[in-house]
Amino acid sequence: MELQALPSRIGQVRRIVSAQLRYWHMDSLIDRAALGVTELLTNVHLHARPDKTCTVEIELLLDRLTVSVRDHDPRLPVVDDAEPLATCGRGLSMVAAMSESWGARPDGESGKVVWFTLPTAATAAPVTASPVSARPPRRLVEEVPAAAFAEVEHAVDLGRPQPAPARSAVAG
């Protein structure tokens, strides 16, 4: 859904994105996703013409989160080297530094999409059971043999609808 990229709305969208990531149990991504969406919406507020209307979308796949902002200005963003004492001009550089990847692409004849991705894979050390626990050690997803997934793939019933990736669009 569309919203106006105004300072008060940017804070609301940041809170909505944070809440959605908490719901998906992706708390480790909240700070970077909130920073990235803030920077992209601020660019819409400062630079987009003819209006400040945009759409924010977050998509969670198994290995990455994608956050995208679509607006009605066809001009693609330009990353500038900000002067050391400049008070602005570093937003896209920050998005590039904190994300796995980012980019911009035209969207139809009169708009663009600016997006960034964050990896969702756990980078922490594997959790093991304590010596007093009777439970076996926990395994990370990366430790599951690929053959186990191949068996599931063959069991898919093509006559039934398949689940789509988790997606969320921020309502304005």
Side-chain angles (χ1 to χ4, degrees), residues 6 75 82 123 148:
L6 302 173
R75 298 174 299 153
T123 56

Side-chain angles (χ1 to χ4, degrees), residues 42-49 51-52 71 73 75 112:
T42 299
N43 281 351
V44 173
H45 175 70
L46 294 175
H47 305 293
R49 294 187 185 109
D51 58 26
K52 308 300 179 191
D71 66 38
D73 187 342
R75 298 174 299 153
K112 68 177 168 299

Side-chain angles (χ1 to χ4, degrees), residues 16 28 48 57 85 89-90 103 114 123 150 153 156 160:
I16 291 168
S28 63
E57 184 175 293
L85 299 177
R90 294 181 182 87
V114 183
T123 56
E153 185 178 306
V156 173
R160 298 177 59 203

